[in-house]
Amino acid sequence: MFGGSNIGRRKFISGFTGSAGMALIGEDKAYLWTDGRYFLQAEAELSGRPEGEAWQLMRSGQPGVLEPGPFLAKIHADARLETPVKVGVDPSYITATAALALCAAFKGSGAVLTPLCGENLVDRVWALDPTHPSSNSNATIVPCVPHSTIYAGVTHTEKIGMIRGEMRECGAHATVISMLDEVAWLYNIRGGDVPCNPVSICYAVVTAEKAHLFIDERKLVRSADPKSNIFSHLAAADISVHPYEEIDAFLLQLYEFCALHNHVVFCDHNQLNYRLYSVLTGQATSTKPAASTTVLENRPSLISLPKAVKNEVEVEGTRQAHIRDGVALSAFLYWLEARYADPTAPRLTECEADGVLEGFRKRVALFRHPSFETIAGYGANGKGKLLPELRAHIFAYIPLST
């Protein structure tokens, strides 16, 4: 899940730099689960850990490889321990679905899922290291800016109205949106908090009467131009702004209100983190709903489908983006052919070629950043079944030949 320093925790503790995986730290051994795209990369990176760190790669999806929940339950059952074993998780960085699946897997085994609220154990170690984000006093605050209707095709006011219509039809008083791309789409805003993604780290809550945005307010910068003024943009749709850290207290109040008035809140458990799930299921309050009342209802996100159905403006924007990128790629290929026509010119490695290509793309209008880190593999770095899925810097660079 996206979220501030969470982006680097697994990398710091295990050395694994892939985009998908789960680390499990035991008393005398550590485990890393990842999928087939990253088996070779994980092997190389785990083997490079300092002596004394016993890491075992768990190849997800392979025969005989249990997923974390069943794996932990089996270990506890095999050990025949008399006392429960607490399995700690940071509830901010595990989805409700994943946490509930762990609880189900642990049932009857003696293992107990234990949310560690208020402190991440990796941070306790990482905070002593200069690579921790808090060590960078010069970290840039990337502004959150309006996304013009010229590119969106539909105003944020219209989108919020459409979502409220869905809520009324389904009988929901409110919906909580925790996916960063969905908040960006709904409120027509863009940011730069996550590499290769134009999003800001934030939450949104839409109720029958009001829309709310929870964000680090330092990211909201006033502009003299009304079209680029984020405050005017949010006010136009009557969106209330709150400090990012106030989301828990707000949802607690929402839970208590809905419990009292028999209202329902829609959330997608595949998206909502376990911390906020606990708030919305009454685990953070002494106020309990009536026995017949369930405040939190697990529903597919109300944003996903309308976001996926592109309007004519968005479709045309996609076409124009491909045309512009095609111009950049054609210019790069022309430049590369001209360079390699000279036998005395130094040969480029795949990573150097990627850098040159990105330079051509940066010259094109409206370019912001790549949509993902380039997978550049040539020769031996590109022949293996899995190697094209790995970043080129894992291996020795190979010069391109004609």
Side-chain angles (χ1 to χ4, degrees):
M1 302 177 71
F2 290 141
S5 60
N6 179 57
I7 296 170
R9 287 191 179 101
R10 187 180 59 235
K11 175 183 176 182
F12 168 76
I13 203 67
S14 69
F16 175 61
T17 60
S19 64
M22 176 181 285
L24 171 66
I25 314 296
E27 289 186 352
D28 50 19
K29 196 168 185 178
Y31 305 84
L32 176 81
W33 277 261
T34 191
D35 60 58
R37 296 171 297 167
Y38 297 108
F39 289 166
L40 294 182
Q41 177 179 344
E43 284 179 1
E45 293 178 330
L46 293 180
S47 65
R49 299 302 292 169
E51 188 174 349
E53 287 192 14
W55 279 92
Q56 180 175 334
L57 174 61
M58 307 295 285
R59 295 172 173 82
S60 291
Q62 298 300 296
V65 177
L66 297 175
E67 290 305 303
F71 174 79
L72 284 165
K74 184 177 186 302
I75 285 182
H76 188 271
D78 291 347
R80 301 177 184 274
L81 300 176
E82 295 181 0
T83 58
V85 170
K86 294 182 178 181
V87 180
V89 296
D90 185 332
S92 297
Y93 300 116
I94 184 172
T95 65
T97 295
L100 294 174
L102 287 174
C103 292
F106 294 165
K107 190 173 183 180
S109 72
V112 179
L113 188 69
T114 306
L116 302 175
C117 300
E119 182 179 25
N120 186 288
L121 296 185
V122 175
D123 282 349
R124 185 184 293 184
V125 180
W126 194 12
L128 304 176
D129 191 277
T131 63
H132 191 272
S134 64
S135 301
N136 184 5
S137 59
N138 296 319
T140 302
I141 300 294
V142 182
C144 175
V145 298
H147 182 57
S148 174
T149 311
I150 294 174
Y151 307 113
V154 179
T155 69
H156 49 330
T157 303
E158 293 172 301
K159 291 178 180 178
I160 293 169
M162 177 176 59
I163 297 305
R164 284 201 178 112
E166 291 288 327
M167 289 163 52
R168 284 192 298 271
E169 186 174 326
C170 299
H173 172 75
T175 185
V176 180
I177 303 120
S178 57
M179 294 295 286
L180 305 186
D181 59 323
E182 293 191 355
V183 180
W185 178 86
L186 179 63
Y187 288 168
N188 281 354
I189 55 176
R190 297 293 185 267
D193 290 344
V194 179
C196 302
N197 288 270
V199 296
S200 293
I201 293 174
C202 57
Y203 292 102
V205 179
V206 177
T207 71
E209 302 85 19
K210 194 77 175 176
H212 304 267
L213 174 66
F214 297 81
I215 190 170
D216 181 342
E217 293 177 295
R218 294 176 297 172
K219 298 172 186 175
L220 306 181
V221 181
R222 294 193 180 276
S223 170
D225 182 0
K227 294 181 180 179
S228 59
N229 190 315
I230 187 65
F231 292 96
S232 300
H233 174 78
L234 297 174
D238 197 23
I239 300 171
S240 294
V241 178
H242 309 261
Y244 180 76
E245 61 274 9
E246 289 185 3
I247 181 67
D248 296 72
F250 180 90
L251 291 184
L252 178 56
Q253 290 183 343
L254 178 64
Y255 167 82
E256 292 176 341
F257 174 84
C258 290
L260 183 63
H261 294 88
N262 200 28
H263 289 326
V264 172
V265 176
F266 279 0
C267 288
D268 189 330
H269 289 185
N270 291 320
Q271 300 178 355
L272 188 70
N273 67 46
Y274 191 50
R275 188 188 89 233
L276 299 185
Y277 166 88
S278 299
V279 174
L280 288 168
T281 51
Q283 299 176 45
T285 179
S286 58
T287 301
K288 300 297 180 183
S292 60
T293 300
T294 301
V295 170
L296 182 63
E297 186 169 326
N298 181 21
R299 288 286 192 102
S301 168
L302 296 178
I303 311 296
S304 296
L305 184 57
K307 175 176 173 289
V309 180
K310 304 304 180 185
N311 59 54
E312 292 182 4
V313 172
E314 290 173 314
V315 171
E316 182 58 25
T318 301
R319 291 194 188 101
Q320 293 303 317
H322 278 281
I323 291 172
R324 290 192 298 271
D325 191 65
V327 170
L329 183 58
S330 298
F332 164 72
L333 294 174
Y334 178 82
W335 175 89
L336 189 64
E337 286 187 358
R339 182 186 180 94
Y340 273 61
D342 179 359
T344 65
R347 308 291 93 167
L348 299 175
T349 67
E350 63 263 76
C351 286
E352 289 170 335
D354 170 50
V356 174
L357 174 56
E358 185 170 326
F360 277 100
R361 284 178 165 143
K362 286 180 178 178
R363 300 177 195 175
V364 174
L366 302 179
F367 176 85
R368 292 191 61 169
H369 48 64
S371 59
F372 58 91
E373 290 192 32
T374 300
I375 300 167
Y378 177 76
N381 286 353
K383 290 180 179 178
K385 183 177 180 181
L386 299 175
L387 293 185
E389 298 297 328
L390 308 182
R391 297 174 189 165
H393 68 258
I394 298 297
F395 307 95
Y397 299 154
I398 298 177
L400 306 182
S401 61
T402 55

